[in-house]
């Protein structure tokens, strides 16, 4: 069986998708609490800090709808890529994208009011 890999989406393309609003993806931010507080994503997110996965992992399947578009976000796109890979390994009907360059790319390419760190 061929391993699924997440699609990538640029900050500009995600911004356009959020403006079009049809249908909106579920935005999953896997950064730590301090990171989200420092540079919040300017839209509604499902915050799942990876270091606290023991607190949310067992109920995670309840947070998704089948089928659903999901975009995973982190600081630079590495942690989110790994989480997106894991999501695709689950037996859920999800289309999964990774925000290429993470919140840092969002700050540079879309919204400079989001602090860089």
């Amino acid at each position: 069986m061929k391993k699924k890999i997440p699609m990538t989406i640029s900050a500009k393309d995600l911004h356009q998708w959020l403006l079009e609003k049809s249908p909106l993806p579920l935005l999953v931010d896997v950064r730590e609490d301090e990171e989200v507080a420092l540079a919040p994503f300017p839209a509604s997110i499902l915050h799942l800090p990876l270091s606290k996965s023991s607190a949310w992992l067992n109920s995670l399947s309840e947070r998704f709808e089948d089928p659903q578009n999901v975009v995973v976000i982190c600081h630079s796109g590495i942690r989110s890529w790994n989480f997106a890979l894991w999501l695709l390994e689950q037996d859920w009907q999800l289309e999964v994208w990774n925000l290429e360059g993470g919140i840092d790319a969002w700050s540079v390419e879309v919204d400079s009011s989001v602090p860089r760190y």
Side-chain angles (χ1 to χ4, degrees), residues 2 4-6 15 17 27 37 43 47 61 63 68 85 101 105 115:
K2 186 178 178 187
K4 296 180 188 177
I5 62 166
H15 183 245
W17 190 359
L27 302 172
H47 184 213
S61 64
R63 305 204 185 195
Q68 189 167 37
L85 281 170

Side-chain angles (χ1 to χ4, degrees), residues 99-111:
L99 177 57
E100 194 171 33
I103 193 75
D104 194 55
W106 182 272
S107 178
V108 171
E109 299 172 19
V110 175
D111 184 357

Side-chain angles (χ1 to χ4, degrees), residues 27-33 35-36 45-52 56 71-75 78-84 87 98:
L27 302 172
V28 177
D29 195 327
V30 298
R31 295 178 296 151
E32 299 305 314
D33 294 337
E35 293 177 280
V36 172
I45 61 162
L46 172 59
H47 184 213
L48 299 173
L50 292 180
S51 68
K52 297 179 181 173
W56 50 256
V71 176
V72 187
I73 301 163
C74 73
H75 178 242
I78 296 169
R79 288 173 288 173
S80 55
W81 176 263
N82 289 322
F83 185 71
L87 275 179
N98 181 52

